[in-house]
């Protein structure tokens, strides 16, 4: 399925085309930490520490990179409140809220169907 590019930069968007810039957005949204961060922010604005606790296993570096990329794409807003220490909150934009809908469905599908998937045993070293 292709759509006309509203920016006029391309005749259409086609995620299957190697040079289509929409692949960068697909790559971002298909990333597990992005999908989980967006899901965590569905409950409302959160601080970095709250997100890190919610996304068990993410390193501070990876979470910072993920949040920056989501902000760069307009998926979330970063608000700095002048206080000592600084108070920074992350919240979904309207674009992020629209992305949260299919990502929520995907997360739910994964949880409901994991037991029906084939998972090979880890290879011993």
């Amino acid at each position: 399925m292709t759509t006309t590019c509203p920016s006029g930069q391309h005749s259409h968007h086609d995620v299957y085309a190697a040079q289509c810039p929409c692949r960068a957005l697909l790559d971002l949204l298909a990333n597990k930490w992005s999908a989980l961060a967006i899901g965590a922010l569905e409950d409302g604005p959160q601080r970095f520490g709250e997100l890190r606790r919610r996304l068990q296993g993410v390193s501070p570096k990876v979470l910072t990179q993920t949040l920056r990329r989501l902000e760069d794409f307009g998926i979330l807003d970063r608000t700095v409140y002048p206080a000592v220490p600084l108070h920074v909150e992350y919240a979904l934009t309207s674009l992020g809220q629209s992305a949260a809908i299919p990502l929520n469905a995907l997360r739910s599908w994964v949880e409901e169907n994991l037991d029906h998937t084939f998972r090979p045993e880890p290879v011993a070293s």
Side-chain angles (χ1 to χ4, degrees):
M1 179 177 133
T2 61
T3 58
T4 303
C5 176
S7 69
Q9 295 176 350
H10 316 282
S11 60
H12 66 279
H13 291 303
D14 181 359
V15 74
Y16 295 100
Q19 299 303 315
C20 185
C22 61
R23 281 200 178 177
L25 181 56
L26 178 63
D27 180 56
L28 175 64
L29 295 176
N31 174 279
K32 94 175 151 186
W33 296 121
S34 294
L36 293 172
I38 291 168
L41 290 168
E42 283 181 289
D43 297 335
Q46 293 187 43
R47 295 176 72 174
F48 184 88
E50 293 171 309
L51 285 169
R52 186 161 172 236
R53 284 187 292 280
R54 180 87 187 269
L55 279 62
Q56 296 176 15
V58 68
S59 71
K61 178 183 176 182
V62 169
L63 181 55
T64 297
Q65 291 170 339
T66 301
L67 294 172
R68 284 182 183 159
R69 286 188 68 209
L70 289 168
E71 183 181 12
D72 289 345
F73 275 86
I75 302 295
L76 62 80
D77 282 326
R78 178 180 182 266
T79 304
V80 179
Y81 297 95
V84 178
L86 281 180
H87 178 114
V88 179
E89 282 188 347
Y90 298 90
L92 292 177
T93 62
S94 58
L95 182 64
Q97 290 170 351
S98 69
I101 296 167
L103 290 173
N104 185 315
L106 178 60
R107 288 188 311 273
S108 296
W109 183 91
V110 167
E111 291 174 345
E112 292 167 8
N113 291 284
L114 180 64
D115 293 336
H116 304 290
T117 64
F118 172 73
R119 294 183 309 272
E121 295 296 321
V123 177
S125 22

